[in-house]
Amino acid sequence: MAQPDPAPSADAIHLNAISKRYGRTLALDAVSFNVRDQELFALLGPNGAGKTTLLHILCTILRPDSGTALIDGIDVAKNPLEARQRLGIVFQEPSLDDRLTVRENLELHGLVYGVPRKLRRQRIEEMLALVELSDWASKPVRALSSGMKRRLEIARALIHDSRILLLDEPTVGLDAQTRDRIWAYLRRLRAERDITVLVTTHYIEEVEDCDRVCIIDSGKVLALDTPEALKRAHGQSLVRLTPTAEADLEAITARYQDRLTARKGNELTLVSDDAFITAFLAEFGTRITALKVEVPSLETVFLTLTGRELRDRAAGAREQTLAFGKRGGEHTR
Ligand SMILES: Nc1ncnc2c1ncn2[C@@H]1O[C@H](COP(=O)(O)OP(=O)(O)OP(=O)(O)O)[C@@H](O)[C@H]1O
């Protein structure tokens, strides 16, 4: 897909033709997009898509091979310190000091960023209340669950004067209830404070409530729009069906080869429309045990754009990424 070439503006984040290569892997291939002020913006893609690399470039840990990245109009390569001052960052790997208490971790961060004492105290109380950890303020961090630690990291990222919050897969490894809570805090932050939130995820169901979603795969931007507009432009209906016997599965596969998008065990996924369902049931209605119709969703948007389901891509790439992690690399994972 042709990449947009956004003009620098008052946008919170501006990326123009960012590329980054690790040896033979082109992790980012001329990525361009803007994140508007006060947007809740999701960068969605499977593991290995290039999300972490992009975030590391934005927060000045990595330098791109080419292209420019602006934070609040500041070039991150030319003025890294000034750019970082505006960012709150929650990395994929926890980076709290386990031996300190919840409040001490926040104090330390405020000190490092030079937040004056009175303002520091006030922000700490405010942020602890926001992420519902006030009662835990004097407890050592090691006593917290992983969901609570994630909430504390979000609070910590906002202790200094950060106007843009970057979060790298903040919900990975957390249970469904804790994931919902993290997203509730992010929506509240965007609503109550003058803040822009850029969050990466490979959980497609999480991005429905975001203002805009950028779909990225193999280092390339595939699409960027509101969830509704993405569904209108690229969504399609699917049917998932289970043939009664192996012979039925073979017959349906042969008949609808052009509509088949996935086969998992004995479940087939076919691209659908009203005329298809009527014709299919007339021909194969007695040769299936189950049939489920799915309306256009972001999952089908991803399928249309990449020819693969995000869930499969996520699992496959995660294994590769972990194998890579064991060998070590240029930056810590
Ligand atoms: N330090 C490195 N050295 C070599 N290759 C790397 C390094 N870091 C990332 N890669 C590769 O670059 C590509 C993009 O990786 P990146 O971590 O940015 O993706 P991601 O979408 O953030 O996935 P994840 O959620 O697993 O971090 C992948 O193919 C990955 O294997």
Side-chain angles (χ1 to χ4, degrees):
M1 192 192 96
Q3 301 258 333
D5 182 15
S9 63
D11 286 319
I13 298 172
H14 170 81
L15 297 170
N16 189 27
I18 293 280
S19 293
K20 175 73 190 173
R21 184 179 280 284
Y22 302 101
R24 262 182 277 163
T25 307
L26 185 57
L28 294 173
D29 186 3
V31 169
S32 300
F33 63 82
N34 285 355
V35 180
R36 298 176 192 141
D37 212 22
Q38 292 182 48
E39 233 178 356
L40 176 52
F41 186 99
L43 192 57
L44 174 74
N47 295 116
K51 306 180 299 292
T52 300
T53 301
L54 195 60
L55 251 58
H56 283 186
I57 288 171
L58 278 173
C59 64
T60 76
I61 291 177
L62 272 179
R63 273 176 102 78
D65 299 334
S66 54
T68 42
L70 309 183
I71 294 288
D72 246 354
I74 299 161
D75 189 322
V76 298
K78 290 185 187 146
N79 295 304
L81 285 180
E82 218 186 312
R84 262 193 105 135
Q85 189 70 32
R86 284 168 165 74
L87 292 175
I89 308 159
V90 178
F91 290 113
Q92 222 173 88
E93 299 301 328
S95 59
L96 297 161
D97 191 326
D98 259 12
R99 296 157 304 178
L100 300 181
T101 66
V102 165
R103 181 176 278 112
E104 283 165 351
N105 266 279
L106 300 180
E107 277 280 354
L108 184 64
H109 183 87
L111 276 170
V112 170
Y113 274 84
V115 183
R117 190 160 177 264
K118 199 162 161 227
L119 186 61
R120 205 165 67 223
R121 294 276 147 88
Q122 182 195 324
R123 288 230 180 101
I124 288 174
E125 296 318 315
E126 235 179 82
M127 295 319 302
L128 282 175
L130 178 98
V131 297
E132 298 173 280
L133 285 177
S134 304
D135 293 347
W136 291 78
S138 309
K139 297 273 189 305
V141 163
R142 63 173 173 273
L144 270 53
S145 69
S146 39
M148 290 161 101
K149 285 184 188 166
R150 221 6 87 92
R151 282 148 59 190
L152 177 57
E153 292 197 295
I154 294 176
R156 185 181 61 174
L158 297 165
I159 293 298
H160 63 285
D161 198 16
S162 37
R163 295 208 35 248
I164 300 167
L165 182 60
L166 306 179
L167 303 109
D168 195 6
E169 305 246 12
T171 56
V172 86
L174 302 178
D175 61 78
Q177 203 187 350
T178 313
R179 277 164 55 183
D180 286 351
R181 243 165 125 179
I182 299 274
W183 277 95
Y185 297 134
L186 297 182
R187 282 192 292 272
R188 210 160 116 194
L189 267 175
R190 198 264 320 255
E192 290 176 9
R193 292 168 64 115
D194 174 20
I195 218 161
T196 306
V197 183
L198 167 60
V199 54
T200 76
T201 181
H202 66 268
Y203 297 121
I204 215 155
E205 64 277 16
E206 293 189 338
V207 304
E208 284 283 349
D209 289 340
C210 290
D211 296 319
R212 288 193 304 152
V213 179
C214 176
I215 299 181
I216 178 171
D217 191 26
S218 304
K220 280 193 166 72
V221 172
L222 301 185
L224 191 169
D225 218 321
T226 62
E228 285 316 309
L230 286 173
K231 282 184 241 174
R232 272 199 307 276
H234 309 283
Q236 47 188 348
S237 290
L238 297 178
V239 284
R240 295 189 196 272
L241 51 93
T242 312
T244 310
E246 188 62 29
D248 304 317
L249 188 141
E250 298 304 336
I252 295 169
T253 305
R255 173 81 174 76
Y256 290 110
Q257 195 63 50
D258 54 333
R259 288 182 176 267
L260 187 67
T261 61
R263 177 182 168 173
K264 260 186 230 147
N266 58 353
E267 184 193 77
L268 300 176
T269 306
L270 306 180
V271 174
S272 170
D273 53 55
D274 290 348
F276 163 76
I277 292 190
T278 312
F280 176 83
L281 288 177
E283 194 176 348
F284 291 103
T286 56
R287 300 174 68 180
I288 52 169
T289 55
L291 181 143
K292 200 171 95 193
V293 179
E294 284 184 17
V295 295
S297 64
L298 286 172
E299 190 67 61
T300 67
V301 170
F302 191 85
L303 188 65
T304 312
L305 291 169
T306 64
R308 308 281 295 275
E309 297 206 51
L310 182 53
R311 274 173 237 284
D312 300 339
R313 302 268 301 155
R318 170 59 80 195
E319 282 155 22
Q320 285 170 14
T321 309
L322 288 177
F324 156 75
K326 281 180 202 138
R327 288 199 307 271
E330 189 183 318
H331 63 271
T332 324
R333 306 189 56 91

